[in-house]
Amino acid sequence: MLVLVLVHVLAHGRTQIASTDRVDPLAFVVVLTPGSRLCQQDEIVPSDTAALRMTIGTYGDPGPRLAFAVTVPDPAGPTATRLLASGVLAHGWQQGKVRIPIAPRVRGNHTGATVCISNLGATQVAIAGSTVLGDYGFNDYLNGRYYAAEVRVDYMLPGRPSWLEMVPRLAYRMTLGKGGVGAIGWIAPLLAMLALAAIVVRVLLAAERES
Amino acid sequence: MIRRAWRWVARTLARPPRAAYLCALVAVLNALVWSIIVPPFEVPDENGHYAYVAQLVQAGSLPHYIATSPDLSPREDATLEVVHAFRLPGWPQNPAPLTSADQHVIDAVERQDLSARGSGNAGSASDNPPLYYALEAVPYVLSPSGSVLDRLALMRAFSSLFAGVTVFFVFMFLRELFPGTRRVWSVGALAVALQPMFAFISGGLNNDALLYAFAAMLFFALARMFRRGLDEHTGLAIGLAIGFGLLAKFTLLAFAPAAALAVLYGLWRARRDGRGPALRGAAIAAALSAVPTLLYLALASRSVTPGGIGAPATTLTGAHTSLRAEISHIWQLFLPRMPWMAPQFPRSQLWHTWFMGLIGRFGWLDTTFPFWVYVLAAPIAVALIVGALTTLARERKRLRRHAFELGVYVVMIGGLCVEIGVESYRTLVTSGGIFEQPRYLLSGLCIYAAIVALVARLGGRRIGIALGTLIVMLALAHDLFSQLLVIGRYYA
């Protein structure tokens, strides 16, 4: 039964993040009026990003048309940028945690990226984030002027991968940020648990024999 | 005397069956797994514990609490920043580093030659006694690189060894308690070895790991004294467990009154067989219990090793307190509120803090199972308790012979609850904070193991074996799913 539960859980698909900027969505910190544009600089956009996810409020109305653009520094010049990916939310979306598909799918990690959101509709929206200034190291500009807030951006993987499909990715992630032990980040726990299970069985069998 | 004591220790350690060592090995492996899967600094207060060891090694002095500045050492602070150590606690949707870009940022910080010497502050760990940190100084120094992450990994691995010591003494405790039923020793010890919260804490850098080991040693020493009488050897074991346990964490003080009661009982019981060895045993136990801590307190206050025992976080100066409210607070922290008591908590602590916490609340208390898991676990826990009580009722004749011993264990657990309750109340009235955490109850792991062992004694050999196997398999599944929960929380 345990195995069946495990198989069911592992085969179940759900949306998965490629990474996130880890800004705590403490409150709605930016109000984007019609025609406004918010840009957040210094983001790290991870490889395989196929969508952005943000918490956006619409004051109960159907969401207005929003355009999203991810740009990165261009080697052509110190101020030059190039479009990495973009996407649009058509009018009528529901407020909450909103997934915004972007294309093309991002290849490779990109540091120093800028994520911009433009309100192309007729009603305003609010975006969740934090106003603890500079806490996360991002710089935000509202209509070209510095804005003292940071918004939460999650970078999403394409589709709804199952846990089973996520295993290689999770195994890789377990090796990160751990110093030298990272090299054995997933193999050592796996081997140790197998050894542990074998010892447990052996102890139980010995206890049965002795009693 | 020392030679005799050593012979006793050697005899005691040589005699345990192989299963005792294998159960200890299971505990070490399990704690090691937890030490690797939990991201750096995501075990409670790990930043402070690391800073304590760094202070001992780098400055040769004890740390002191600095309320005005949270800074530790430049090297540790920079590492905490890039591994997002403080962006994860309380935000389960914030993962650990996930991409090679994150890793490059970490590598860049590790390459910088930042100072490992700190401000002297070790945060919440500053007031702890030094034994655990002095031992952890060994892997800190032996780490081939000066990297904070390498050192932490090695220190965590070293801490995992204490899980093995704890389970070894749990096994020995059960052997004293149930000398005629060998199979339950392994079942109880394995249930502890596979307890996820125990493995999570022991696999982190946290002085609770050493506290659990000394607490289990004390339970074993007392059980041995109740069966073999108080003499120099049992006195030595009791004294070592309390004396050095207090140097690991002052929490062990909760067990001191019950241990004193047990030693007095040992003296009284020895009145017929000659009191000489018992008196000497009591004297050794008392001296060893007190001397290490007194020495530490004297040294710390005379600033021979500057620092330590800094400003206690829970002094009651200026706070509005009442004994009645404090008693009510302690009661409600563990038991249902009585009609005449003013509410101290918004919800049942027995369920939310202790039961749910011990089933699984990992990381900085922010990684929990879906609620239905706790609901599913409740009848299993109730069945275990009913099973244990049934065995006690069946064996009431034998139990009557050990009534005083049982009373001592009850006083030990009661002492632990009162100590947690007092600290909880003081924290609440002084800062409005919450002190209680499920890991604080793990000093009583021997009693948890005894409950499991009692259940495994139900219904004769065949049913007992089946029950024991079922309990261990459940414990293994619980451990495995807890690990998957943690992996999902930090890496997905």
Side-chain angles (χ1 to χ4, degrees):
Chain A
M1 198 176 115
L2 207 64
V3 174
L4 285 177
V5 171
L6 202 62
V7 168
H8 174 74
V9 170
L10 288 176
H12 185 71
R14 63 164 218 178
T15 56
Q16 299 274 6
I17 60 168
S19 190
T20 169
D21 64 9
R22 295 183 185 79
V23 172
D24 298 330
L26 297 168
F28 288 104
V29 292
V30 184
V31 175
L32 216 54
T33 52
S36 296
R37 177 182 167 92
L38 175 82
C39 289
Q40 181 157 290
Q41 294 180 347
D42 301 319
E43 288 277 336
I44 299 177
V45 181
S47 186
D48 279 341
T49 298
L52 306 177
R53 188 174 65 185
M54 303 175 80
T55 302
I56 311 177
T58 62
Y59 304 91
D61 298 330
R65 182 178 158 83
L66 298 181
F68 296 79
V70 181
T71 55
V72 289
D74 194 320
T79 56
T81 58
R82 70 179 170 91
L83 183 67
L84 191 64
S86 62
V88 171
L89 269 184
H91 173 83
W93 50 273
Q94 294 290 308
Q95 67 181 356
K97 268 191 175 182
V98 184
R99 182 185 163 96
I100 308 111
I102 56 170
R105 193 202 294 189
V106 176
R107 300 290 174 195
N109 297 312
H110 297 270
T111 54
T114 300
V115 176
C116 291
I117 309 138
S118 303
N119 186 347
L120 306 178
T123 56
Q124 62 183 15
V125 295
I127 304 171
S130 167
T131 50
V132 184
L133 196 54
D135 199 21
Y136 303 91
F138 304 114
N139 292 307
D140 285 56
Y141 293 87
L142 183 60
N143 298 324
R145 298 181 65 174
Y146 182 75
Y147 188 78
E150 291 155 291
V151 297
R152 166 83 172 212
V153 184
D154 293 332
Y155 300 94
M156 310 303 293
L157 292 171
R160 294 172 60 85
S162 70
W163 284 109
L164 216 51
E165 290 169 297
M166 286 292 289
V167 165
R169 195 179 287 273
L170 294 181
Y172 168 70
R173 289 172 176 179
M174 286 176 72
T175 66
L176 301 174
K178 291 181 177 167
V181 82
I184 54 163
W186 64 271
I187 189 82
L190 185 67
L191 292 176
M193 284 310 287
L194 288 173
L196 178 152
I199 298 168
V200 166
V201 170
R202 187 185 167 144
V203 170
L204 287 176
L205 288 175
E208 186 185 341
R209 271 198 307 272
E210 287 170 2
S211 62
Chain B
M1 172 72 202
I2 292 173
R3 217 170 54 200
R4 278 177 63 192
W6 174 248
R7 269 211 305 271
W8 178 84
V9 172
R11 211 169 54 228
T12 310
L13 291 181
R15 276 186 181 172
R18 202 168 166 200
Y21 297 107
L22 289 176
C23 290
L25 181 59
V26 167
V28 173
L29 285 173
N30 196 25
L32 272 174
V33 168
W34 278 89
S35 84
I36 296 171
I37 64 173
V38 177
F41 300 108
E42 294 308 317
V43 176
D45 305 328
E46 212 169 21
N47 54 327
H49 297 299
Y50 182 93
Y52 196 126
V53 180
Q55 177 70 13
L56 275 183
V57 176
Q58 303 290 345
S61 65
L62 296 171
H64 51 276
Y65 182 63
I66 307 170
T68 49
S69 166
D71 292 347
L72 303 171
S73 73
R75 191 179 298 180
E76 186 181 351
D77 285 333
T79 306
L80 288 168
E81 177 68 26
V82 291
V83 298
H84 311 298
F86 298 126
R87 289 187 192 156
L88 276 54
W91 293 98
Q93 68 272 43
N94 281 356
L98 295 186
T99 65
S100 55
D102 292 327
Q103 184 62 47
H104 290 148
V105 176
I106 294 166
D107 290 342
V109 163
E110 293 214 293
R111 278 195 299 272
Q112 291 174 24
D113 191 23
L114 295 169
S115 171
R117 194 163 176 145
S119 59
N121 192 9
S124 57
S126 299
D127 299 337
N128 285 336
L131 180 59
Y132 174 77
Y133 307 99
L135 294 171
E136 285 288 359
V138 176
Y140 181 98
V141 171
L142 290 180
S143 171
S145 82
S147 142
V148 170
L149 296 175
D150 283 346
R151 281 180 167 152
L152 181 65
L154 212 56
M155 289 153 86
R156 279 181 168 188
F158 184 73
S159 199
S160 302
L161 298 176
F162 299 130
V165 178
T166 304
V167 168
F168 176 82
F169 281 116
V170 166
F171 188 101
M172 300 296 280
F173 171 72
L174 294 177
R175 194 173 74 150
E176 294 295 328
L177 240 50
F178 310 107
T181 326
R182 293 175 73 95
R183 64 186 151 78
V184 305
W185 310 340
S186 301
V187 171
L190 285 176
V192 170
L194 296 170
Q195 214 290 335
M197 181 56 74
F198 165 64
F200 163 66
I201 294 295
S202 297
L205 184 65
N206 193 305
N207 60 335
D208 279 3
L210 189 58
L211 168 72
Y212 303 153
F214 280 116
M217 182 184 173
L218 179 61
F219 272 97
F220 159 65
L222 291 175
R224 197 171 171 88
M225 188 213 79
F226 278 114
R227 268 148 203 85
R228 302 170 197 222
L230 177 62
D231 59 14
E232 296 92 332
H233 309 309
T234 43
L236 183 73
I238 293 168
L240 281 175
I242 297 178
F244 287 97
L246 284 173
L247 280 190
K249 194 171 183 181
F250 288 133
T251 305
L252 204 91
L253 206 58
F255 293 155
L261 204 65
V263 169
L264 287 175
Y265 176 76
L267 273 174
W268 176 78
R269 217 171 58 170
R271 71 195 183 283
R272 284 166 300 197
D273 315 325
R275 279 201 169 148
L279 276 171
R280 282 195 292 277
I284 291 168
L288 274 178
S289 296
V291 167
T293 302
L294 291 176
L295 213 59
Y296 160 63
L297 292 173
L299 287 174
S301 62
R302 283 183 180 199
S303 297
V304 173
T305 49
I309 324 171
T314 52
T315 45
L316 287 170
T317 317
H320 176 72
T321 61
S322 110
L323 182 63
R324 192 187 164 93
E326 185 164 7
I327 292 169
S328 174
H329 182 93
I330 296 168
W331 177 278
Q332 290 176 54
L333 189 55
F334 298 97
L335 298 166
R337 181 171 69 89
M338 294 289 110
W340 60 87
M341 291 176 173
Q344 292 283 327
F345 300 97
R347 54 195 181 181
S348 162
Q349 292 299 293
L350 179 62
W351 169 258
H352 282 277
T353 297
W354 307 118
F355 182 75
M356 288 178 70
L358 289 173
I359 293 297
R361 189 172 288 147
F362 306 102
W364 287 72
L365 306 175
D366 60 7
T367 306
T368 53
F369 285 109
F371 188 70
W372 63 264
V373 174
Y374 303 98
V375 174
L376 188 72
I380 298 172
V382 170
L384 280 177
I385 291 168
V386 170
L389 290 174
T390 307
T391 307
L392 284 177
R394 275 180 170 184
E395 301 183 13
R396 55 188 174 276
K397 271 189 187 166
R398 185 165 169 254
L399 183 65
R400 228 171 271 141
R401 287 202 305 274
H402 296 283
F404 193 88
E405 182 183 0
L406 183 66
V408 164
Y409 299 144
V410 170
V411 173
M412 286 174 88
I413 298 303
L416 183 62
C417 292
V418 168
E419 190 180 74
I420 295 168
V422 167
E423 204 58 36
S424 164
Y425 181 71
R426 289 173 176 223
T427 305
L428 184 72
V429 296
T430 50
S431 66
I434 296 171
F435 169 79
E436 53 274 13
Q437 289 183 37
R439 64 188 162 107
Y440 297 147
L441 281 187
L442 294 181
S443 307
L445 274 171
C446 278
I447 299 304
Y448 171 69
I451 290 171
V452 168
L454 281 169
V455 176
R457 277 167 68 89
L458 266 176
R461 182 181 172 274
R462 283 184 64 178
I463 293 177
I465 288 173
L467 275 175
T469 307
L470 180 66
I471 290 170
V472 173
M473 287 301 122
L474 273 176
L476 184 58
H478 180 198
D479 189 39
L480 204 60
F481 278 103
S482 300
Q483 290 171 6
L484 292 176
L485 172 78
V486 167
I487 290 170
R489 183 260 183 263
Y490 288 112
Y491 306 107

